[in-house]
Each structure stands twice: as structure tokens, then as C-alpha cells.
Amino acid sequence: MADLPVLKAEPTLADVQEYIAKALVYRGHNDEELYAMLMLCEEVGELAKAVRKHVGGKVDPASRDSHIDEEAADVFWVLVAICNRLGIDLEKAFRAKEEKNKARTWHYEDHANR
């Protein structure tokens, strides 16, 4: 079995991608694309529920206590794992997408005057 991976103290996004790739091998989950997509959907749902609870939305009082920071970290983890599996350099993709976004014109609807 591979050694338990260690994340650097001040990692770059590339370091995070490398860490997660190694952690998935260590945990035996390095070849499950469909599983990863299902996990991403599940984790986004858990994040949505935590945010809803945080802003005072109605939730089942018997539901487990959720922490937005932990749920956001779970979403990030699974997203990076999917990018790793598909060979996506997430920092490069993020920077390229931001360049496209800078060229876009953003319009916001005035909901107050409906």
C-alpha cells in the first residue's frame, strides 16, 4: 500500500490536486468516475442544506448538524478528484475561464421593480 500522503503547509492548487490524487490511491478510490460524480452531487446537496440551515431556512430538526465549511471542503475535494481523473489542470482551467469571463458583459435583472 502507498504511504499516507501529506499536504504541504501552504499548498498551491497543483499541490492540492497532487495530494488528492495520492490520497485517493491510498484510500482505494482512484478509478471510480461515476462514483465521483455521484459523490459530487451528494456533497453539493449537503452544502445546500447547510447553507439553507445557516440562513434560517426550514430543515428537519432531527437532521444531523452540518457545518458549511466542512461541506464546502467536501465539494472541493470531490471536484478536484474528478478533475484529476479527467486530466484537468484545475488552476489552468480556472485562469482560462476567468479570461473568458472578463470579456463577458454581465446583466442583472432588477427584481425590485417586477
Side-chain angles (χ1 to χ4, degrees):
M1 179 180 260
D3 291 334
L4 176 66
V6 176
L7 182 61
K8 294 178 181 180
E10 295 184 30
T12 64
L13 187 48
D15 294 331
V16 171
Q17 282 196 254
E18 182 180 346
Y19 167 79
I20 289 176
K22 289 178 180 178
L24 287 171
V25 170
Y26 180 80
R27 296 174 186 177
H29 297 292
N30 59 316
D31 62 350
E32 304 171 5
E33 288 94 348
L34 178 59
Y35 177 79
M37 278 305 302
L38 294 173
M39 287 298 300
L40 180 60
C41 293
E42 181 180 328
E43 296 300 347
V44 168
E46 290 176 8
L47 175 60
K49 186 174 184 179
V51 170
R52 185 169 41 117
K53 193 171 188 177
H54 178 77
V55 299
K58 293 181 180 180
V59 293
D60 179 1
S63 66
R64 72 174 179 85
D65 191 29
S66 55
H67 302 276
I68 296 172
D69 55 346
E70 291 177 5
E71 300 305 341
D74 287 345
V75 169
F76 180 69
W77 172 280
V78 178
L79 175 63
V80 170
I82 291 168
C83 290
N84 284 349
R85 187 72 181 142
L86 298 174
I88 297 169
D89 178 328
L90 191 52
E91 182 177 355
K92 183 178 176 181
F94 178 80
R95 290 181 183 280
K97 180 60 177 175
E98 278 304 294
E99 289 306 311
K100 284 184 177 181
N101 286 341
K102 288 177 187 177
R104 291 177 68 185
T105 301
W106 299 89
H107 298 280
Y108 298 93
E109 291 185 27
D110 183 3
H111 295 287
N113 293 322
R114 283 191 166 182

